[in-house]
């Protein structure tokens, strides 16, 4: 153990190497962002950017993403500023975590290289990171929360602990479904803010910080800034309910859809099977010969009523449909990973365009081609992380509680998507993917410690 190291979570935490972490993150950020500048942007990222420019009018998605765009607009960095920042925060946090867990700088660099290499080894990670999606910012602030929490434990610093709580709060504010991912980490932070030897006072302080962070994250999804008005609440779950009804109908071979969804035209089970695709609800709305159009409507509440009525009756078909979606989500389907990368920047009124479209196309092509081999898909990364976290717990390895909390949060995040996702986009699971990449590298470090240090 070196001078300045402190024991917490079973780890001999080293003094954080802030400058080394910043340098490593800067190198990767520059190399990654240069060909993709100012970041790929799809409908929802352009929606957030529009609200940053024109004002928040709806809570369809949490407005924290729009606020981040607004900040970088005011700084003169434009959307590319957020693209670079979310990338830099992600890799800075990972490098800082490794510097806290490892004594020697060369090993820190090797661990960081392994983490960065996971984004190439598992291309859906790279494809998601290439875009201005709130999934990336959610992961970035979650990792930053872990890094600042470990740094707080090493220095026994309430200031750094407050920073960790703020980072977790930002992660919560960015996605409605982020709570399962952060909950286990926040819970462990409250129980052991400075490790096993934490006193009652610091635990109460951690509880207060966590509660305040959760309250602020929730408030940000109800009241907009700066006037604290209450825009219309989100109604996104009705889309998931329509997806479930279509999936159950395809399973049952007869329609469960309310008449309003097909404009009062009859639709058969065979037609619904042709329309249904577990990869995305929107695919069912595409015109098909011989299939009545399926409309994007909740039928004035008819979809919700039908969903509540049919789920208890048709639970087997519901689970079958949801399992198909999960199989696509994790890349376990024979046909490969669905939507691992966005193609560019959609047409927009603000003139935001790729600076180097040819280079961006090469990155996108790499992701598309290399996401298909079975061993490079997300489910492999999650299985590896689960096995390593389990091995660490059985071996009594240092850091096992953090590894277990991270993996359980990742599993809970995907569990919520099992019942809530209207699509199986690869990007939806980017936050748990990034956590699992961290668990694999950090878990190998913890398991490699001599038994005498455990």
């Amino acid at each position: 153990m070196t001078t300045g190291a402190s024991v917490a979570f079973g780890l001999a935490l080293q003094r954080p190497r802030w400058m080394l972490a910043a340098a490593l993150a800067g190198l990767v950020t520059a190399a990654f962002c240069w060909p993709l500048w100012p970041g790929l942007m799809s409908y929802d990222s352009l929606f957030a950017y529009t609200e940053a420019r024109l004002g928040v009018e709806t809570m369809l998605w949490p407005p924290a993403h729009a606020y981040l765009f607004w900040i970088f607009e005011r700084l003169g960095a434009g959307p590319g500023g957020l693209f670079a920042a979310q990338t830099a925060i992600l890799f800075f946090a990972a490098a800082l975590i490794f510097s806290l867990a490892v004594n020697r700088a060369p090993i820190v660099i090797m661990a960081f290289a392994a983490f960065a290499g996971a984004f190439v080894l598992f291309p859906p990670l790279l494809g998601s990171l290439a875009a201005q999606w709130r999934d990336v910012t959610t992961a970035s602030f979650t990792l930053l929360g872990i890094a600042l929490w470990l740094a707080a434990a090493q220095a026994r610093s309430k200031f750094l602990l407050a920073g960790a709580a703020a980072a977790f709060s930002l992660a919560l504010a960015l996605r409605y479904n982020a709570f399962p991912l952060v909950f286990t980490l926040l819970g462990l932070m409250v129980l052991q803010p400075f490790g096993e030897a934490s006193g009652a006072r610091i635990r109460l302080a951690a509880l207060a910080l966590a509660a305040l962070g959760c309250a602020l994250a929730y408030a940000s999804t109800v009241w907009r800034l700066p006037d604290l008005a209450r825009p219309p609440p989100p109604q996104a779950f009705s889309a998931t309910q329509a997806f479930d009804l279509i999936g159950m109908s395809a399973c049952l071979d007869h329609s469960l859809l309310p008449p309003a969804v097909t404009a009062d035209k009859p639709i058969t089970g065979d037609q619904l099977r042709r329309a249904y695709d577990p990869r995305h609800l929107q695919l069912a709305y595409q015109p098909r010969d011989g299939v009545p159009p399926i409309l994007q409507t909740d039928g004035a509440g008819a979809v919700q009523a039908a969903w509540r009525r049919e789920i208890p009756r048709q639970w087997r078909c519901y689970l079958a449909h949801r399992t198909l979606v999960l199989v696509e989500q994790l890349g376990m389907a024979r046909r490969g990973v669905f939507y691992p990368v966005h193609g560019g920047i959609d047409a927009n009124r603000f003139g935001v365009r790729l600076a180097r479209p040819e280079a961006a196309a090469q990155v996108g092509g790499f992701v598309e081609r290399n996401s298909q081999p079975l061993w490079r898909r997300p489910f492999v990364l999650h299985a590896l992380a689960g096995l390593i976290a389990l091995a660490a717990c059985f071996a009594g390895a240092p850091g096992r509680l953090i590894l277990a909390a991270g993996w359980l949060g990742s599993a809970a995040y995907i569990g919520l998507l099992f019942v809530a996702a209207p699509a199986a986009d690869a990007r939806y699971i980017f936050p748990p993917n990034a956590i699992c990449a961290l668990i694999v590298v950090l878990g190998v470090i913890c398991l490699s410690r001599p038994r005498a240090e455990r």
Side-chain angles (χ1 to χ4, degrees):
M1 185 183 299
T2 62
T3 303
S6 63
V7 178
F9 320 107
L11 284 166
L13 292 174
Q14 311 301 314
R15 288 177 179 171
R17 300 172 183 264
W18 300 96
M19 295 306 296
L20 176 61
L24 292 172
L27 286 172
V28 171
T29 300
F32 178 75
C33 291
W34 185 86
L36 296 158
W37 192 265
L40 310 181
M41 298 181 76
S42 61
Y43 170 82
D44 48 352
S45 44
L46 284 167
F47 183 93
Y49 184 65
T50 300
E51 291 204 320
R53 297 284 297 266
L54 304 179
V56 173
E57 297 296 335
T58 176
M59 292 293 180
L60 175 63
W61 289 301
H65 199 206
Y67 300 151
L68 291 173
F69 273 123
W70 182 88
I71 290 170
F72 285 97
E73 281 292 303
R74 293 301 177 275
L75 292 174
L82 178 56
F83 177 55
Q86 68 187 24
T87 306
I89 290 170
L90 182 81
F91 287 106
F92 170 78
L96 193 62
I97 291 167
F98 299 139
S99 79
L100 283 156
V102 177
N103 184 13
R104 298 169 57 194
I107 300 178
V108 173
I109 295 170
M110 290 173 60
F112 177 81
F115 176 79
F119 286 73
V120 178
L121 194 63
F122 297 95
L125 274 171
L126 182 66
S128 298
L129 192 65
Q132 297 269 16
W133 284 323
R134 68 183 59 80
D135 310 87
V136 179
T137 44
T138 300
S140 297
F141 284 113
T142 301
L143 262 67
L144 183 62
I146 297 171
L148 293 178
W149 170 30
L150 291 177
Q154 194 280 333
R156 302 190 73 80
S157 167
K158 293 180 181 178
F159 175 76
L160 289 174
L161 191 65
F168 285 136
S169 176
L170 276 167
L172 288 171
L174 282 158
R175 285 208 69 93
Y176 288 124
N177 62 323
F179 186 75
L181 181 72
V182 175
F183 175 74
T184 52
L185 294 165
L186 265 181
L188 187 57
M189 190 183 83
V190 169
L191 291 173
Q192 297 187 6
F194 291 166
E196 299 87 338
S198 302
R201 286 187 178 181
I202 192 61
R203 285 193 176 100
L204 285 173
L207 177 61
L209 288 169
L212 177 62
C214 291
L216 290 174
Y218 171 75
S220 74
T221 66
V222 178
W223 296 280
R224 73 181 178 194
L225 296 175
D227 59 1
L228 299 182
R230 297 186 65 161
Q235 301 291 337
F237 193 59
S238 63
T240 299
Q241 291 169 323
F243 194 30
D244 292 341
L245 289 173
I246 293 169
M248 288 188 292
S249 298
C251 169
L252 289 165
D253 202 28
H254 69 83
S255 176
L256 301 175
L257 294 176
V261 178
T262 57
D264 293 319
K265 295 180 180 178
I267 187 167
T268 66
D270 177 68
Q271 290 169 330
L272 279 169
R273 281 198 306 276
R274 291 164 58 191
Y276 170 65
D277 192 317
R279 293 177 297 177
H280 207 297
L281 168 63
Q282 296 290 337
L283 296 175
Y285 297 142
Q286 294 181 357
R288 287 178 173 80
D289 292 338
V291 178
I294 300 174
L295 308 178
Q296 299 186 50
T297 177
D298 70 347
V303 166
Q304 293 90 324
W307 185 86
R308 287 192 296 267
R309 181 180 64 250
E310 298 297 341
I311 288 289
R313 297 176 180 176
Q314 313 297 344
W315 61 270
R316 289 184 179 85
C317 276
Y318 170 76
L319 291 177
H321 150 66
R322 277 286 146 194
T323 300
L324 288 174
V325 178
L326 180 67
V327 165
E328 298 284 356
Q329 191 98 71
L330 290 173
M332 293 187 287
R334 185 174 300 176
R335 56 186 161 189
V337 177
F338 175 63
Y339 195 25
V341 65
H342 191 65
I345 297 178
D346 293 356
N348 61 89
R349 70 177 86 176
F350 305 108
V352 181
R353 297 182 180 87
L354 287 170
R356 302 171 187 86
E358 296 84 2
Q362 289 181 354
V363 174
F366 171 84
V367 173
E368 287 282 3
R369 290 190 305 273
N370 293 284
S371 292
Q372 305 317 312
L374 198 65
W375 63 274
R376 305 183 77 168
R377 299 187 191 178
F379 78 92
V380 176
L381 182 60
H382 285 262
L384 281 174
L387 288 172
I388 287 175
L390 190 64
C393 290
F394 275 108
R400 60 189 177 277
L401 291 181
I402 293 174
L403 297 174
W407 189 82
L408 288 173
S410 299
Y413 189 95
I414 292 174
L416 183 57
L417 285 175
F418 181 84
V419 299
D425 296 4
R427 68 182 178 95
Y428 284 176
I429 59 170
F430 179 84
N433 287 350
I435 295 290
C436 284
L438 180 76
I439 289 171
V440 170
V441 180
L442 184 60
V444 169
I445 290 171
C446 293
L447 285 167
S448 64
R449 293 285 174 86
R451 185 170 294 275
E453 296 183 16
R454 296 182 185 178

